[in-house]
C-alpha cells in the first residue's frame, strides 16, 4: 500500500473530493487542499506518513511554475514601474518584521543569534498560498494584490542573503553535519569559489537567461511549433523551466526568481499564450500537491502537547505581521480596502521557512525543539490564511471598499417621469431607447468609474445609492410614473424594490432579473414587470442556430416565439412552488416535456405551410 500508484491515488482522490466541496462552500481551493492533507495525513486516516515531507519539497516546484506564469503576465516595463513597491515596500516589510521578531525573541531570553535567525525566517510569507488565492479571486491586479506581489518578490530575493547569513550566525560555514545536503537543496554548490567569481557566475547566468529569452528561445519555439507536435512544444516549455531552475540552484539563487525572470523576458513573445496553456495544468497539480503536503505535515502530536504555546505563537506571528503590514500599507497610500487585502494576504509564515529552519538547525543556529515548534506554527498560519482572506472578503471589503469609492451623493435638480437605477450595459439600452423617444429620465448609479465613463458620452447620471430613501425622494420617486431597476446586484435590486413598494406603493416598478429564482423573489417583492436579462437575446441566438441548421426563417422564429410564450407561462405557473425545490424540479420536468410535445405538434401542423413572409428576398 506504499506504492507510488497508491500514493498518487490517495493524493488525487483527496483533491477531487475536498476541493469541489470547499469551493462550493465558498472556502476556496487552497483551504480544500489543506483539509485534504490533514485528513489523509498521519494523524487522521494515516494514508500518508513521513514521506509527505519529500513530496512537499517536490511539489514546491509548483511555486516555480507559478512564478514563471506570473512573469509571462508582466512585461519588463511594468516590472520596472513596480521597482518602488518591490524595494521600498518589500524591503521595509522584511526589515521591520525581522527586527520586531528579533526583539521579542531576545526579550523572552533567547540568544541574539537564535532571535535574529527566527526573525529573518518568519519575516517571509507564503508565495504559493497568497498568489494562488489572489489569482483565484481575481485580485492579483488590484492595488492590494500588486503590493502583495511586490513584497513576495522581494522576499524571494531576500532568501538568498538569509541563506548566506545563517551559517555565519553559527560561527562556521560548511562545518556542520548535514550542511552539504541543505546547501545542495538551496543550490550553494559554488560557495567554495571566491566571492568575485561567484558574482561573475551569477551575473553571467542572469544575463544568459535574459539574452537567450530575448533573442534565442522564441526562434526555438517557432522551429518546434512548425513541427505541429504539441507534446514536443510542452516538453520544451518544461525543459526550459527545469533548466532555469537548475541553473539558478547551482549558482545559489532562487529557482522561482529565475523562472520569474524568464517569464518576464518571454512576456512579449508570440508564444506567451501557448506557454500559459501548456504549463498551467502542471502548475495547478503541483501546487495542489504542495498544499496537501503542507496539511499532512502539520504535527498534531506536538500540537496536543503544547496547544496554548502553539496557539500563542500563531496568533503572535499573524498579529505582528498584520500590524506591520497595515502601517506600511498606510504609509504607501493604499486605500483602506486594499490595505486590508494587502495585510490579510501576507500575515503568515512562508514555505521557505521549512527549508530555512532545517538549514538553521543543521548549522546549529537554532535548536531542533525550537525549530519544530516554529515550523508547526508556520504551517498552521499558512492553513489559516484562506480563513483570513474570507474574513477580509466577507466582513471588511464590503464596508471599506464602498467607503473608499463613495463620493458625496449628487444633488438631484430635476424631476422626470422615469427613474432608472443602474446605468450599465443593460440600463444604457433602456435609457437610450427612452431618450430616442423624447422621454425624460433621471438616472442613478453608484459606481463612480461607470458614471465618469457614460458622462463622457453626454448622459446626465447622478451618483447615489438607490436603496437610500432620501435619494429616492430627491429623485422624484413620489411623482414619477415608472421606476426601472437595472443594477447588476441581485440582492440590492430586491432591497430597492421592497423599499419602493413600502414607501411608494403606486409607483410602477420594472426590473431586470438574472435568473428564474430572482424572478420569483422580485415577484414576491411586488415588482410589476420583470425581464430576464439574457432571455430574449438567447432566444434570438437560438432561432439563428435553427436557421443555420436548415429551418426556414418562419419555422425558426415561430419555434422561438412558441418557446417564449410557453416559458413565460411556466414561469408564472411554477411560482407557487418557489421554495419547494423538489416540487419545482418535478413540475419543471413536466413543463419541459409539454414544450417538446407542443413544438412537435406545431411542426406537424405547419409542415406544409409555404409562408415565406419571414424570409429575406432571395434567401429561398
Amino acid at each position: 500500500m506504499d506504492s507510488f500508484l497508491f500514493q498518487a491515488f490517495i493524493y488525487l482522490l483527496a483533491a477531487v473530493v475536498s476541493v469541489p466541496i470547499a469551493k462550493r462552500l465558498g472556502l476556496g481551493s487552497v483551504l480544500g487542499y489543506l483539509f485534504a492533507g490533514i485528513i489523509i495525513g498521519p494523524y487522521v486516516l494515516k494514508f500518508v506518513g513521513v514521506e509527505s515531507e519529500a513530496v512537499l519539497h517536490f511539489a514546491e516546484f509548483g511555486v516555480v511554475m507559478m512564478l514563471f506564469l506570473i512573469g509571462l503576465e508582466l512585461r519588463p516595463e511594468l516590472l520596472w514601474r513596480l521597482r518602488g513597491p518591490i524595494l521600498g515596500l518589500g524591503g521595509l516589510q522584511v526589515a521591520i518584521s525581522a527586527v520586531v521578531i528579533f526583539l521579542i525573541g531576545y526579550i523572552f531570553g533567547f540568544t541574539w543569534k537564535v532571535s535574529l535567525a527566527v526573525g529573518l525566517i518568519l519575516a517571509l510569507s507564503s508565495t504559493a498560498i497568497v498568489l494562488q488565492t489572489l489569482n483565484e479571486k481575481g485580485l492579483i491586479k488590484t492595488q492590494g494584490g500588486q503590493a502583495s506581489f511586490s513584497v513576495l518578490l522581494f522576499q524571494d530575493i531576500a532568501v538568498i542573503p538569509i541563506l548566506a547569513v545563517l551559517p555565519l550566525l553559527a560561527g562556521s560555514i560548511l562545518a556542520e553535519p548535514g550542511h552539504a545536503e541543505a546547501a545542495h537543496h538551496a543550490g550553494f554548490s559554488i560557495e567554495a569559489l571566491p566571492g568575485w567569481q561567484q558574482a561573475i557566475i551569477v551575473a553571467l547566468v542572469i544575463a544568459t537567461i535574459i539574452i537567450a529569452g530575448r533573442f534565442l528561445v522564441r526562434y526555438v519555439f517557432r522551429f518546434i511549433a512548425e513541427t505541429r507536435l504539441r507534446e514536443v512544444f510542452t516538453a520544451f516549455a518544461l525543459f526550459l523551466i527545469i533548466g532555469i531552475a537548475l541553473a539558478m540552484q547551482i549558482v545559489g539563487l532562487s529557482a522561482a526568481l529565475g523562472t520569474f525572470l524568464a517569464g518576464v523576458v518571454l512576456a512579449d513573445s508570440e508564444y506567451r499564450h501557448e506557454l500559459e496553456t501548456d504549463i498551467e495544468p502542471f502548475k495547478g497539480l503541483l501546487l495542489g500537491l504542495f498544499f496537501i503536503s503542507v496539511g499532512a505535515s502539520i504535527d498534531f502530536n506536538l500540537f496536543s502537547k503544547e496547544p496554548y504555546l502553539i496557539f500563542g505563537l500563531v496568533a503572535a506571528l499573524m498579529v505582528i505581521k498584520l500590524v506591520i503590514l497595515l502601517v506600511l500599507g498606510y504609509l504607501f497610500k493604499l486605500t483602506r480596502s486594499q490595505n486590508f487585502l494587502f495585510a490579510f494576504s501576507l500575515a503568515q509564515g512562508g514555505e521557505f521557512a521549512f527549508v530555512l529552519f532545517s538549514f538553521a538547525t543543521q548549522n546549529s543556529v537554532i535548536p531542533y525543539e525550537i525549530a519544530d515548534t516554529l515550523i508547526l506554527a508556520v504551517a498552521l498560519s499558512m492553513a489559516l490564511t484562506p480563513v483570513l482572506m474570507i474574513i477580509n472578503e466577507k466582513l471588511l471589503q464590503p464596508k471599506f471598499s464602498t467607503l473608499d469609492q463613495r463620493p458625496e451623493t449628487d444633488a438631484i435638480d430635476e424631476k422626470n417621469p422615469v427613474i432608472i437605477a443602474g446605468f450599465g450595459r443593460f440600463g444604457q439600452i433602456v435609457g437610450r431607447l427612452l431618450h430616442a423617444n423624447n422621454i425624460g429620465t433621471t438616472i442613478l448609479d453608484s459606481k463612480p468609474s461607470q458614471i465618469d465613463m457614460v458622462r463622457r458620452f453626454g448622459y446626465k447620471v447622478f451618483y447615489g445609492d438607490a436603496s437610500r430613501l432620501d435619494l429616492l425622494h430627491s429623485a422624484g420617486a413620489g411623482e414619477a410614473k415608472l421606476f426601472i431597476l437595472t443594477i447588476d446586484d441581485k440582492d440590492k435590486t430586491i432591497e430597492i424594490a421592497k423599499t419602493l413598494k413600502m414607501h411608494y406603493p403606486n409607483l410602477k416598478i420594472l426590473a431586470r432579473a438574472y435568473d428564474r429564482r430572482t424572478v420569483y423573489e422580485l415577484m414576491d417583492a411586488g415588482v410589476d414587470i420583470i425581464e430576464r436579462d439574457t432571455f430574449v437575446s438567447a432566444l434570438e441566438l437560438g432561432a439563428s442556430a435553427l436557421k443555420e441548421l436548415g429551418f426556414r426563417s418562419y419555422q425558426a422564429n415561430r419555434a422561438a416565439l412558441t418557446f417564449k410564450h410557453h416559458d413565460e407561462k411556466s414561469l408564472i405557473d411554477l411560482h407557487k412552488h418557489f421554495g419547494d425545490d423538489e416540487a419545482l424540479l418535478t413540475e419543471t420536468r413536466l413543463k419541459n416535456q409539454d414544450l417538446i410535445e407542443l413544438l412537435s405538434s406545431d411542426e406537424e401542423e405547419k409542415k406544409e405551410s409555404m409562408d415565406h413572409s419571414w424570409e429575406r428576398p432571395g434567401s429561398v
Side-chain angles (χ1 to χ4, degrees):
M1 299 294 280
D2 292 331
S3 69
F4 169 77
L5 285 179
F6 178 74
Q7 293 293 319
F9 175 78
I10 291 298
Y11 275 98
L12 291 173
L13 178 64
V16 299
V17 170
S18 61
V19 174
I21 294 174
K23 289 279 286 182
R24 182 62 66 90
L25 295 174
L27 302 177
S29 65
V30 174
L31 204 54
Y33 283 122
L34 291 169
F35 275 129
I38 292 171
I39 297 298
I40 66 173
Y43 304 101
V44 184
L45 297 181
K46 302 180 181 178
F47 284 135
V48 298
V50 292
E51 72 279 2
S52 64
E53 188 174 344
V55 174
L56 179 68
H57 291 311
F58 170 72
E60 283 173 0
F61 201 71
V63 183
V64 173
M65 289 187 168
M66 180 170 63
L67 265 294
F68 178 74
L69 291 175
I70 290 171
L72 285 175
E73 297 290 336
L74 288 175
R75 297 174 191 275
E77 56 270 22
L78 177 58
L79 185 63
W80 179 248
R81 287 207 299 270
L82 287 174
R83 66 188 185 283
I86 292 172
L87 297 176
L89 192 55
L92 284 173
Q93 185 275 325
V94 172
I96 295 174
S97 299
V99 168
V100 170
I101 296 171
F102 161 76
L103 290 174
I104 292 173
Y106 193 67
I107 290 170
F108 274 85
F110 294 100
T111 67
W112 72 269
K113 293 181 179 180
V114 171
S115 302
L116 180 58
V118 171
L120 290 170
I121 295 171
L122 294 184
L124 307 179
S125 305
S126 173
T127 302
I129 288 179
V130 176
L131 292 188
Q132 173 73 3
T133 305
L134 291 177
N135 271 320
E136 191 172 291
K137 294 179 180 293
L139 298 171
I140 191 67
K141 292 185 178 178
T142 62
Q143 187 188 28
Q146 291 288 294
S148 302
F149 172 75
S150 300
V151 170
L152 290 169
L153 194 57
F154 182 88
Q155 291 179 355
D156 275 352
I157 299 169
V159 171
I160 302 159
I162 292 173
L163 278 165
V165 165
L166 288 178
L168 298 177
L169 294 176
S172 63
I173 304 175
L174 301 175
E176 300 298 331
H179 177 84
E181 184 183 351
H184 175 72
H185 182 78
F188 260 56
S189 56
I190 65 168
E191 271 194 345
L193 298 174
W196 65 272
Q197 290 184 10
Q198 292 182 34
I200 290 175
I201 292 173
V202 168
L204 283 175
V205 169
I206 293 176
T208 302
I209 291 173
I210 295 173
I211 294 171
R214 199 77 180 173
F215 301 106
L216 177 63
V217 172
R218 62 182 61 197
Y219 294 106
V220 179
F221 273 123
R222 183 178 304 167
F223 173 75
I224 294 174
E226 287 174 352
T227 66
R228 299 184 182 280
L229 295 171
R230 185 169 180 177
E231 65 274 18
V232 178
F233 192 94
T234 304
F236 183 70
L238 290 173
F239 161 81
L240 187 68
I241 294 173
I242 294 172
I244 292 171
L246 193 60
M248 297 300 276
Q249 281 198 341
I250 289 172
V251 299
L253 296 181
S254 162
L257 186 64
T259 52
F260 170 75
L261 187 61
V264 172
V265 173
L266 290 170
D268 291 327
S269 165
E270 60 271 35
Y271 299 104
R272 189 187 83 178
H273 296 298
E274 186 73 16
L275 281 169
E276 289 174 340
T277 305
D278 286 348
I279 299 300
E280 182 69 32
F282 294 99
K283 184 266 297 185
L285 278 175
L286 283 173
L287 271 184
L289 189 60
F290 172 78
F291 297 135
I292 292 175
S293 304
V294 170
S297 67
I298 295 176
D299 188 344
F300 285 97
N301 282 340
L302 181 57
F303 181 78
S304 63
K305 291 177 185 173
E306 299 282 356
Y308 298 114
L309 173 64
I310 303 298
F311 264 129
L313 286 172
V314 173
L317 171 65
M318 301 189 82
V319 169
I320 289 169
K321 297 186 81 170
L322 197 65
V323 171
I324 292 171
L325 289 162
L326 283 172
V327 172
L328 288 174
Y330 176 77
L331 294 176
F332 278 76
K333 302 185 184 309
L334 297 182
T335 62
R336 280 170 293 187
S337 61
Q338 294 302 305
N339 197 9
F340 279 117
L341 171 64
F342 168 65
F344 277 67
S345 298
L346 298 173
Q348 77 287 117
E351 55 273 7
F352 280 118
F354 302 132
V355 177
L356 293 173
F357 275 125
S358 172
F359 190 48
T361 53
Q362 289 164 357
N363 280 279
S364 302
V365 178
I366 300 175
Y368 279 97
E369 57 272 19
I370 294 177
D372 289 343
T373 304
L374 292 175
I375 287 173
L376 176 59
V378 168
L380 287 172
S381 72
M382 291 168 69
L384 287 173
T385 299
V387 179
L388 277 187
M389 295 293 281
I390 291 172
I391 292 172
N392 171 58
E393 182 182 349
K394 301 293 184 186
L395 300 181
L396 299 177
Q397 290 301 318
K399 180 178 179 182
F400 289 98
S401 60
T402 305
L403 289 176
D404 287 339
Q405 297 175 7
R406 180 180 290 173
E408 292 295 323
T409 300
D410 290 336
I412 301 175
D413 55 0
E414 60 184 30
K415 304 289 183 187
N416 286 298
V418 179
I419 301 171
I420 300 176
F423 208 58
R425 58 185 177 85
F426 194 98
Q428 286 174 36
I429 295 172
V430 178
R432 285 167 55 198
L433 177 62
L434 295 178
H435 289 174
N437 287 279
N438 296 317
I439 297 173
T441 60
T442 299
I443 304 171
L444 309 174
D445 203 298
S446 60
K447 295 178 181 174
S449 59
Q450 179 73 12
I451 294 172
D452 290 341
M453 191 270 288
V454 296
R455 278 178 177 171
R456 289 203 292 270
F457 289 91
Y459 291 100
K460 189 173 184 179
V461 182
F462 297 96
Y463 171 79
D465 182 353
S467 64
R468 286 174 51 185
L469 187 59
D470 58 337
L471 184 74
L472 294 173
H473 181 71
S474 299
E479 300 83 28
K481 294 180 179 176
L482 301 176
F483 195 103
I484 304 176
L485 268 167
T486 59
I487 61 176
D488 57 0
D489 184 326
K490 183 186 75 171
D491 295 333
K492 184 68 79 176
T493 299
I494 295 167
E495 179 187 348
I496 295 171
K498 289 180 177 176
T499 302
L500 287 169
K501 273 298 166 189
M502 179 179 295
H503 296 279
Y504 308 99
N506 297 321
L507 179 61
K508 199 162 198 174
I509 306 172
L510 293 76
R512 159 198 188 183
Y514 287 90
D515 49 31
R516 301 174 81 93
R517 181 171 292 275
T518 312
V519 170
Y520 294 140
E521 290 177 322
L522 289 171
M523 283 180 175
D524 292 340
V527 174
D528 300 283
I529 298 174
I530 304 164
E531 290 291 343
R532 286 169 281 171
D533 59 0
T534 57
F535 184 63
V536 174
S537 56
L539 270 181
E540 290 184 354
L541 190 62
S544 298
L546 291 176
K547 293 173 195 172
E548 292 297 321
L549 292 170
F551 280 56
R552 291 168 45 206
S553 294
Y554 168 76
Q555 293 173 301
N557 287 305
R558 184 180 175 83
L561 197 60
T562 302
F563 183 97
K564 181 174 185 291
H565 291 161
H566 182 273
D567 193 81
E568 287 174 342
K569 184 175 183 305
S570 299
L571 193 66
I572 296 171
D573 292 343
L574 293 173
H575 183 204
K576 60 186 176 210
H577 299 297
F578 179 53
D580 184 350
D581 289 344
E582 189 173 346
L584 194 63
L585 285 173
T586 303
E587 291 297 321
T588 301
R589 290 193 195 100
L590 293 174
K591 294 287 184 185
N592 289 340
Q593 186 60 40
D594 290 344
L595 177 63
I596 293 171
E597 293 172 0
L598 178 63
L599 289 174
S600 299
S601 62
D602 189 62
E603 182 64 20
E604 285 298 321
E605 290 175 10
K606 302 299 177 186
K607 202 169 186 178
E608 302 302 324
S609 173
M610 295 301 289
D611 188 344
H612 295 285
S613 61
W614 295 78
E615 312 290 354
R616 291 179 181 175
S619 63
V620 177

